Amino acid sequence: MDTPTWSIAIHGGAGTITRSSMPAHKEAAYTEALSRALQAGEEVLRSGGQALDAVCAAVVMLEDDPLFNAGRGAVFTHTGSHEMDAAVMRGDTLDAGAVAGVTGVRNPILLAREVMEYSGHVMLSGQGAEAFARQSGMVFEDPAYFHDDFRHRQWTEVRDSDIYRLDHAEGDERKFGTVGAVARDVHGHLAAATSTGGMTNKRWGRIGDSPVIGAGTYANDRTCAISCTGHGEFFIRSVVAYDISCLIEYGGLSLEEACQHVVTDKLMNMGGEGGLIAVDALGHLCLPFNSEGMYRGWARPAQREVSIYR
Amino acid sequence: MDTPTWSIAIHGGAGTITRSSMPAHKEAAYTEALSRALQAGEEVLRSGGQALDAVCAAVVMLEDDPLFNAGRGAVFTHTGSHEMDAAVMRGDTLDAGAVAGVTGVRNPILLAREVMEYSGHVMLSGQGAEAFARQSGMVFEDPAYFHDDFRHRQWTEVRDSDIYRLDHAEGDERKFGTVGAVARDVHGHLAAATSTGGMTNKRWGRIGDSPVIGAGTYANDRTCAISCTGHGEFFIRSVVAYDISCLIEYGGLSLEEACQHVVTDKLMNMGGEGGLIAVDALGHLCLPFNSEGMYRGWARPAQREVSIYR
């Protein structure tokens, strides 16, 4: 039988990520970055800290790394800015916080947490959310901080068109750039956090699944904590994260059965590409995806693994 | 046994609505307005039209009526503008569309439908959503169209404070101003639509549950269609609409059992005041609320009822 203890999983996006298309130095950089983020979360959990603090610590590391489409590495929108979304949820109280379409905030995940803890609301958006962030003393960065030559080139190739591109699109490559973390702490509490820069050249203030509680992010101590990455529209329409929670709570499925059913059967049938990371009330982990790869990692006491490909 | 046929339910918000606090002329005006909206939906369904068209027709009528906090009657935000949210979903395809924080659009529900049908996205927000609306030829109105003396006075009383008020707050009165409709058509398809102006003096680009698919709005031909009205933050955290769908699909509950469990047990335990309207795959209707009243109405062939109080 399982001894309930701590566990954590992280992701840095899913998509057409294959060994043949990945130069060795790039693979090493991703592996290194994922390991560092995982370690930041592990340290919180190992010392008896909260799942909420662990998922935020891991996501902050991923937001600060330009390799991932979140925070510093956020992709360019149609107007050449960076509009970021993030959400966090704690499984013990079902408290949640989310921001949509925020610009200039260094760590959207910390703003989402601030919304959860101090705004009296769950979801804030746009300039209003930025005003709340300034009032709360959140750290802002200049546009130069978010500038990345590779992402800028991606954007200039499509900015005069109606095309919106998934992150990292090169040739046939599709990548759903999102970062996230889920954890169970030694006290038995769960938490989930997700952050993203959305799609290159996105327009019209598009909001994806990441900041939508129940779709891209959900946590409930009775069932599971989930963070998704994929083609957000399908994840919203399928209420993916809460669907897995309900399949466990009402359907009696295990975490793994629920994850496989949603990611492999339901999403694939709709054409919804992507994946997710999940942890259940006993600390079991599941990291399913229906795309060719997903930047991911997980850890438990004395176990750690970081992977990219199928 | 039930003969599957058409049915429709609408709401115009829930809250502290009591007979003693309601002048007779105001009660008559609400009853009349609800009847008209119900009739607009009924006409679509009676002539064999789609559930999607029926819920949009009913919600447009409610948006155009200054009595309800949606469209023309939207409350004032902290900055004196009107930021409206809306969502629509069809149960046959699980297609969905939503807008958050849009200003000047005459009928946000029609914009949500436009998002669903033509944007390639599910959720658009703010000025970006307005740009999409202009490009799509949606009707815009001047601020004067949305001006209402009563709502303006409500706002001037609190605009210099940190207080955000629920719609219609006068003394102890709390009202969650939202409008919505759910329907089942003769073809067996379901649809749901919700529209709102949010909370008086709201700030920070706050987004409530109405435009969040799975929280305030959801439709699935296999289970039910739901439109909620209440303290949105609790409805988001509880993923209310999709929870009812899952209790039916995975938990084997009837529509009525699922609605009562969520509205009476789960939301009440959290302190989440409000209600919802629901229709299931066979056309059964349920209109539960845990507040003192809810503006509501429902109809089936040869049956129609409009009510306000418990």
Side-chain angles (χ1 to χ4, degrees):
Chain A
M1 191 190 144
D2 274 288
T3 309
T5 180
W6 64 265
S7 48
I8 182 168
I10 63 169
H11 70 77
T16 313
I17 309 162
T18 57
R19 198 178 299 268
S20 59
S21 67
M22 178 81 77
H25 72 276
K26 209 170 147 188
E27 177 178 310
Y30 274 108
T31 302
E32 171 67 20
L34 289 165
S35 295
R36 273 197 307 269
L38 199 52
Q39 202 173 331
E42 282 179 71
E43 279 167 17
V44 173
L45 295 168
R46 195 179 297 112
S47 59
Q50 290 188 59
L52 177 65
D53 292 323
V55 295
C56 288
V59 168
V60 162
M61 296 289 286
L62 295 165
E63 284 180 336
D64 288 349
D65 195 316
L67 283 176
F68 303 99
N69 175 20
R72 183 166 200 171
V75 296
F76 286 83
T77 66
H78 192 63
T79 57
S81 69
H82 303 276
E83 289 174 6
M84 301 172 288
D85 303 336
V88 66
M89 187 162 183
R90 50 188 301 164
D92 52 353
T93 60
L94 302 184
D95 283 334
V99 290
V102 296
T103 299
V105 176
R106 185 187 172 104
N107 291 111
I109 197 66
L110 299 182
L111 177 56
R113 183 170 175 169
E114 194 80 5
V115 169
M116 173 174 80
E117 294 179 342
Y118 301 109
S119 76
H121 297 301
V122 170
M123 192 171 192
L124 302 183
S125 64
Q127 292 173 357
E130 289 156 34
F132 173 76
R134 289 192 191 279
Q135 181 177 317
S136 304
M138 304 297 299
V139 178
F140 277 73
E141 298 286 353
D142 291 335
Y145 173 83
F146 299 96
H147 185 92
D148 179 86
D149 283 337
F150 172 63
R151 299 207 192 277
H152 191 261
R153 181 162 51 77
Q154 288 183 314
W155 170 62
T156 55
E157 285 165 10
V158 293
R159 67 180 162 188
D160 297 325
S161 71
D162 281 348
I163 299 167
Y164 54 86
R165 281 210 178 152
L166 305 173
D167 175 35
H168 284 279
E170 277 192 309
D172 288 339
E173 196 186 339
R174 291 185 308 285
K175 179 163 172 278
F176 304 97
T178 313
V179 306
V182 296
R184 179 195 189 276
D185 63 33
V186 295
H187 316 289
H189 299 310
L190 307 184
T194 312
S195 181
T196 187
M199 294 172 163
T200 296
N201 209 36
K202 76 176 171 184
R203 292 196 296 178
W204 304 324
R206 179 254 187 189
I207 298 176
D209 64 313
S210 304
V212 176
I213 300 302
T217 307
Y218 187 73
N220 186 331
D221 278 3
R222 287 201 313 277
T223 54
C224 60
I226 308 274
S227 171
C228 300
T229 173
H231 196 143
E233 280 69 15
F234 293 95
F235 283 66
I236 293 177
R237 292 166 54 206
S238 300
V239 202
V240 165
Y242 193 60
D243 197 29
I244 291 172
S245 177
C246 289
L247 283 165
I248 295 171
E249 186 168 13
Y250 309 141
L253 268 58
S254 71
L255 180 75
E256 189 168 343
E257 289 165 343
C259 285
Q260 291 302 337
H261 179 56
V262 171
V263 174
T264 309
D265 301 341
K266 293 175 90 165
L267 280 171
M268 283 290 266
N269 287 343
M270 290 180 94
E273 191 178 351
L276 57 86
I277 52 174
V279 61
D280 73 9
L282 290 177
H284 299 127
L285 295 163
C286 194
L287 297 83
F289 53 98
N290 62 37
S291 49
E292 291 186 54
M294 180 166 82
Y295 297 112
R296 63 200 186 276
W298 60 268
R300 288 192 291 211
Q303 288 182 291
R304 179 198 289 185
E305 196 174 300
V306 168
S307 339
I308 297 179
Y309 316 110
R310 186 164 280 287
Chain B
M1 192 189 145
D2 274 286
T3 309
T5 181
W6 63 265
S7 49
I8 183 169
I10 63 169
H11 70 76
T16 312
I17 308 162
T18 57
R19 199 179 297 268
S20 59
S21 67
M22 177 83 77
H25 72 277
K26 209 170 148 188
E27 179 179 308
Y30 274 108
T31 302
E32 171 66 21
L34 290 165
S35 294
R36 272 196 309 268
L38 199 52
Q39 202 173 331
E42 282 179 72
E43 279 167 17
V44 173
L45 297 168
R46 196 179 297 116
S47 59
Q50 289 188 60
L52 177 65
D53 292 323
V55 297
C56 288
V59 168
V60 163
M61 296 288 285
L62 296 165
E63 284 181 336
D64 287 350
D65 194 316
L67 283 176
F68 303 100
N69 175 20
R72 182 166 201 172
V75 297
F76 286 84
T77 68
H78 192 62
T79 57
S81 68
H82 303 276
E83 289 173 8
M84 301 172 287
D85 302 338
V88 66
M89 186 161 184
R90 50 188 299 164
D92 52 352
T93 59
L94 303 184
D95 284 335
V99 290
V102 295
T103 299
V105 176
R106 184 186 173 103
N107 290 112
I109 197 66
L110 298 183
L111 178 55
R113 182 169 175 170
E114 194 80 6
V115 169
M116 173 173 82
E117 296 179 340
Y118 301 110
S119 76
H121 297 302
V122 170
M123 192 171 191
L124 303 183
S125 63
Q127 292 173 357
E130 289 156 32
F132 173 75
R134 288 191 192 279
Q135 181 177 317
S136 305
M138 304 298 298
V139 177
F140 277 73
E141 299 286 354
D142 290 336
Y145 172 83
F146 299 95
H147 185 91
D148 179 86
D149 283 337
F150 172 64
R151 297 205 193 280
H152 190 261
R153 181 162 52 77
Q154 288 183 314
W155 170 61
T156 55
E157 285 166 10
V158 294
R159 67 179 163 189
D160 297 326
S161 72
D162 281 348
I163 299 167
Y164 54 87
R165 282 211 177 151
L166 305 172
D167 174 34
H168 284 277
E170 276 193 308
D172 288 340
E173 196 186 341
R174 292 186 307 286
K175 181 164 172 275
F176 305 98
T178 313
V179 306
V182 296
R184 178 195 189 278
D185 62 33
V186 296
H187 315 289
H189 298 311
L190 307 184
T194 312
S195 181
T196 186
M199 292 172 165
T200 294
N201 210 36
K202 76 175 172 184
R203 292 196 295 179
W204 304 326
R206 178 254 186 189
I207 298 175
D209 63 312
S210 303
V212 176
I213 300 302
T217 306
Y218 186 73
N220 186 330
D221 278 3
R222 287 203 313 277
T223 54
C224 59
I226 308 274
S227 171
C228 299
T229 173
H231 197 144
E233 279 70 15
F234 293 95
F235 283 66
I236 294 176
R237 291 165 55 206
S238 300
V239 202
V240 165
Y242 193 58
D243 197 28
I244 291 172
S245 178
C246 289
L247 283 165
I248 295 171
E249 186 167 13
Y250 310 141
L253 268 56
S254 69
L255 180 74
E256 189 168 344
E257 290 166 343
C259 285
Q260 291 302 339
H261 179 55
V262 171
V263 174
T264 309
D265 301 341
K266 292 174 93 165
L267 280 171
M268 283 290 266
N269 288 342
M270 290 179 95
E273 192 179 351
L276 57 85
I277 53 175
V279 61
D280 73 8
L282 289 177
H284 298 127
L285 295 164
C286 193
L287 297 83
F289 53 98
N290 61 38
S291 50
E292 291 186 53
M294 180 166 82
Y295 297 111
R296 64 200 187 278
W298 60 268
R300 289 192 291 211
Q303 286 183 293
R304 179 198 288 186
E305 195 175 300
V306 169
S307 342
I308 297 178
Y309 315 109
R310 185 164 283 286

